[in-house]
Amino acid sequence: MRINRILLSAPLVVVALVVQVTILARLQLPGAVPDLLLLVVVGLALVYGHVGGALVGFFAGLLADLAPPSDHAIGRYALVLCVIGYAAGLTRPDSGRHRSATLPLLVVIGAAIGSTLMYAGVGALVGDTAARHVGIVGLLLSATLYDLLLAPFTVPLVMALARRTDSDLLAGDGSGSSGGSAGDLGYGWLTTGTGLKASRGAMKSLRAGARIGSQRGSLLGKSARDKVGRIKGVKRL
């Protein structure tokens, strides 16, 4: 991963984990606990792609496994978030920009349901039956509802910060390829396309080329007429 991505992902993951453990987990809400860490991983994966999403998800889940008051096997949540980050990164479009909020919201819903099922499934394999006592249906509904309520306030902000760091990195490189990638750095939830401006620029370029061509043609025609006039003048003499 790029150094800019690491410098952004690390504090975001730490802040999300601290807020989740110290605030969200103590709200005593019915069912599941709002998973702010999951939303941060999803937001970063939507920008960084499946490889970056898997790496961020693994280390974020591992940190959650080690942080108190964790009472489950180490690596359990790391596996869940690694799979979620990989799957969310696969939905990243080729242009790198989501033109609407529909796809990210669908990814949030799928991540909430998938993480709950995988966490309960891995727990069943290692002998943790806590999900059976709470009720898997109640956990799925509450986790999806809480994550959807938090998503509009977290996922767009995380994606905007991630794109901003990538944009700064490309601007600092000064390479020729940065101009071609600059169009992929827009954030579909916050900005609109610039196709109209590009079309106007293309029309201006065509008009300028036509004017230059007409000027060259007039100069060539004038030089040809002068040459013919000189030849005729010589013949007359």
Side-chain angles (χ1 to χ4, degrees):
M1 292 180 66
R2 298 172 180 172
I3 186 64
N4 283 28
R5 294 184 175 184
I6 297 175
L7 293 177
L8 175 67
S9 302
L12 286 178
V13 168
V14 172
V15 170
L17 181 60
V18 171
V19 172
Q20 182 170 328
V21 172
T22 59
I23 299 177
L24 298 179
R26 298 183 179 182
L27 294 178
Q28 301 298 326
L29 296 174
V33 176
D35 201 340
L36 183 61
L37 188 61
L38 173 69
L39 296 178
V40 171
V41 171
V42 168
L44 293 175
L46 289 173
V47 178
Y48 295 159
H50 59 283
V51 177
L55 292 175
V56 172
F58 175 78
F59 287 107
L62 185 61
L63 183 62
D65 291 333
L66 297 174
S70 176
D71 57 352
H72 55 264
I74 297 177
R76 180 178 173 182
Y77 203 47
L79 174 62
V80 172
L81 288 187
C82 180
V83 175
I84 293 297
Y86 183 86
L90 291 176
T91 64
R92 179 180 180 269
D94 295 335
S95 62
R97 178 177 58 189
H98 296 83
R99 298 187 178 275
S100 68
T102 303
L103 181 59
L105 285 178
L106 292 177
V107 173
V108 170
I109 296 174
I113 297 175
S115 62
T116 304
L117 291 176
M118 283 191 293
Y119 188 82
V122 175
L125 293 177
V126 297
D128 185 1
T129 59
R132 296 180 182 177
H133 301 292
V134 178
I136 190 65
V137 177
L139 287 176
L140 289 174
L141 294 177
S142 58
T144 305
L145 177 61
Y146 298 152
D147 291 345
L148 280 178
L149 291 176
L150 280 178
F153 304 100
T154 56
V155 177
L157 178 60
V158 171
M159 293 180 68
L161 291 175
R163 292 186 186 281
R164 186 67 177 270
T165 56
D166 277 3
S167 177
D168 294 341
L169 180 62
L170 290 174
D173 289 343
S175 59
S177 61
S178 62
S181 301
D184 296 340
L185 300 174
Y187 182 32
W189 291 14
L190 302 177
T191 60
T192 56
T194 56
L196 181 59
K197 294 182 179 179
S199 300
R200 291 178 179 176
M203 291 298 297
K204 290 181 180 179
S205 300
L206 290 175
R207 292 175 181 175
R211 287 198 298 268
I212 294 174
S214 61
Q215 292 176 0
R216 290 180 178 177
S218 61
L219 290 175
L220 290 175
K222 183 178 180 181
S223 61
R225 288 194 299 269
D226 294 341
K227 185 181 292 185
V228 172
R230 288 196 297 269
I231 294 174
K232 289 183 179 180
V234 171
K235 288 183 178 180
R236 289 177 183 177
L237 292 176

